[in-house]
Amino acid sequence: ESGAIFEIDDKWQPNYGDLRFDERKFPDAAQTVAQLHEMGFLVMLWVPPFMNPDSDNFCEAKHRGFLLNGGELVTWWQGRGALLDVFNGDAVCWWKTQLRSLMAQTGVDGIKFDAGEANFVPETTLPAGVSRNAYTQRYCAMAAEFELAEARCAYGFGFGRQPRLFVREYDKSSKWGKDNGLQSVVTGALTLGMLGHAFVLPDMIGGNKYENADEVSDPVEYAELYVRWMQASIAMPSVQFSVLPDSVREAAERARGSPLEYDLVGLCAKYLRARERALLPIITRAAAESAETGEPIVRAVFWTAPTALSAAASMSAGGLDSVGVVEPYAARWALADLALEGDGSVRADPMMIDDEFLIGDRLLVAPVMTHAARSRRVYLPVGRWVAWDLLRHPDRPPTEASPTSLVLSGPCELEVDAAITSLPLFYRL
């Protein structure tokens, strides 16, 4: 009921490519899954399309002709393996049958379909005349046949015709910038939404901690990055924890020799409770609308800015307007744009704003994604907006009648305070 999912990641099977639990690690997998169910979790399993030569499935698949290009080995992050031939209907049916059998035997609820990107598919492994991106398309189509599924790749179905599955952003590095850090969580979600992939999984809070030279290494700064990452993700269609908050707090407090000035663990808990109570109804409505219309759940602010949308249409030259998306939504707000003068001068170009986003048309999220920042500039598009202190009002959005409500008319810009505990949110009345 809470929507919580526990993902069993890498190394649950004996060898890569086998679709059975390693009994040394999971002597009774069904009991383990049942215990997770009792705790309120749905359970998903990590499954890539690779079969390494030491797996039982490699031998069977090679014998039956179910491997791409006869079993040619490709390099991936866990060695060398052959790819499932997703162009072979019998091979796909064989793979799905094994997965569904495993789910039935153990109670697992869904599958995390990892990899599948074109860069793992050498041209030599493909049928003549088939592009590498076609592998991704077929792989996602297979994943979408499962009721609960996640993919890390997506390609080429056409706007509004994408499979209804979670598409996870590529593995993020533990740093601040747009170069695959925190800021790229927002730009990635906006890009996926504009490409028609509405159900975005923004990868794990705090990044993957690869310990690369350009990643945040100071535990105190990483704690700040972690909090800001959590805030940026909290209104997204899904939120993923892998690095746990208490481990981040403990490392930071050891490094500084004293407690943090904020309760990191308690802060995460408060935001999660507010998400469940107040944000999920908004996200759910946007998801239902997306399933009906094809609009993104996570939207750029220009989605409700008619002038910017019209400019985008005129510049697209066969792009957005060619799929019938821009003009209908520009028209929706045209009258409102004429009726509202706004509360202040606007310097920002809505088409260039990539550090804030909308959930549906009502909720605007402006996360802080810069180290040590305690304020930020916010652009509000067309409409009448009220600031929402989510931690002080975690049960429902504010209304115009609220005694503390300050109603702002957009389009406008304003500077807002944003302490480490604060996420700038605005709700459209």
Side-chain angles (χ1 to χ4, degrees), residues 373-395:
R374 296 297 183 265
S375 66
R376 63 155 293 165
R377 194 80 175 165
V378 175
Y379 169 86
L380 298 179
V382 168
R384 300 174 67 249
W385 299 88
V386 60
W388 184 1
D389 186 335
L390 186 62
L391 295 189
R392 296 181 70 179
H393 304 282
D395 294 316

Side-chain angles (χ1 to χ4, degrees), residues 406-420:
L406 172 63
V407 178
L408 300 164
S409 293
C412 66
E413 291 181 76
L414 63 157
E415 189 76 17
V416 299
D417 292 332
I420 185 63

Side-chain angles (χ1 to χ4, degrees), residues 228-281:
R228 293 306 197 188
W229 206 304
M230 178 270 296
Q231 292 170 342
S233 302
I234 203 69
M236 294 266 187
S238 62
V239 177
Q240 180 180 359
F241 286 89
S242 186
V243 179
L244 296 180
D246 55 351
S247 67
V248 177
R249 179 200 61 196
E250 290 168 3
E253 292 182 348
R254 280 197 305 270
R256 63 179 272 148
S258 62
L260 292 169
E261 65 271 19
Y262 54 94
D263 179 4
L264 189 151
V265 177
L267 192 61
C268 290
K270 288 179 180 178
Y271 271 101
L272 285 171
R273 283 194 293 269
R275 171 185 170 85
E276 185 172 351
R277 295 174 186 173
L279 298 182
L280 276 182

Side-chain angles (χ1 to χ4, degrees), residues 187-202:
T187 58
L190 293 174
T191 301
L192 284 168
M194 289 302 296
L195 291 174
H197 305 288
F199 298 89
V200 178
L201 178 62

Side-chain angles (χ1 to χ4, degrees), residues 95-364:
W95 194 250
K96 290 190 300 183
T97 298
Q98 287 195 70
L99 288 173
R100 294 196 185 281
S101 175
L102 175 64
M103 293 167 67
Q105 293 170 14
T106 61
V108 166
D109 302 286
I111 304 297
K112 172 185 176 180
F113 290 90
D114 208 353
E117 295 93 347
N119 60 299
F120 292 111
V121 185
E123 296 285 358
T124 56
T125 68
L126 293 170
V130 177
S131 76
R132 293 193 294 175
N133 286 327
Y135 189 95
T136 298
Q137 191 175 38
R138 294 288 188 94
Y139 186 61
C140 288
M142 176 183 68
E145 294 186 36
F146 289 77
E147 184 176 351
L148 182 60
E150 169 195 331
R152 196 184 70 175
C153 60
Y155 179 80
F157 288 88
F159 197 98
R161 298 188 297 275
Q162 310 295 359
R164 298 306 179 201
L165 75 162
F166 270 112
V167 177
R168 180 170 67 86
E169 294 190 35
Y170 200 78
D171 298 23
K172 299 298 182 185
S173 300
S174 297
K175 54 185 180 180
W176 292 93
K178 294 178 184 176
D179 54 337
N180 205 43
L182 168 57
Q183 293 171 25
S184 73
V185 170
V186 173
T187 58
L190 293 174
T191 301
L192 284 168
M194 289 302 296
L195 291 174
H197 305 288
F199 298 89
V200 178
L201 178 62
D203 201 31
M204 61 187 68
I205 291 170
N208 284 262
K209 296 197 74 173
Y210 291 120
E211 299 183 356
N212 294 330
D214 63 341
E215 290 189 303
V216 172
S217 58
D218 173 47
V220 177
E221 182 183 344
Y222 180 75
E224 179 185 353
L225 174 69
Y226 188 91
V227 168
R228 293 306 197 188
W229 206 304
M230 178 270 296
Q231 292 170 342
S233 302
I234 203 69
M236 294 266 187
S238 62
V239 177
Q240 180 180 359
F241 286 89
S242 186
V243 179
L244 296 180
D246 55 351
S247 67
V248 177
R249 179 200 61 196
E250 290 168 3
E253 292 182 348
R254 280 197 305 270
R256 63 179 272 148
S258 62
L260 292 169
E261 65 271 19
Y262 54 94
D263 179 4
L264 189 151
V265 177
L267 192 61
C268 290
K270 288 179 180 178
Y271 271 101
L272 285 171
R273 283 194 293 269
R275 171 185 170 85
E276 185 172 351
R277 295 174 186 173
L279 298 182
L280 276 182
I282 298 171
I283 297 166
T284 301
R285 284 196 298 271
E289 182 180 316
S290 174
E292 180 70 23
T293 68
E295 292 183 79
I297 298 172
V298 181
R299 303 174 186 176
V301 295
F302 67 72
W303 202 258
T304 58
T307 303
L309 278 170
S310 297
S314 65
M315 291 188 299
S316 62
L320 289 175
D321 57 343
S322 69
V323 293
V325 172
V326 172
E327 291 300 340
Y329 304 118
R332 179 195 303 175
W333 296 110
L335 293 178
D337 196 27
L338 293 172
L340 295 172
E341 297 180 357
D343 282 343
S345 62
V346 177
R347 297 188 301 274
D349 178 356
M351 290 292 296
M352 303 301 294
I353 295 173
D354 60 3
D355 62 352
E356 56 186 81
F357 58 92
L358 296 163
I359 298 296
D361 287 334
R362 303 291 295 275
L363 180 65
L364 186 140

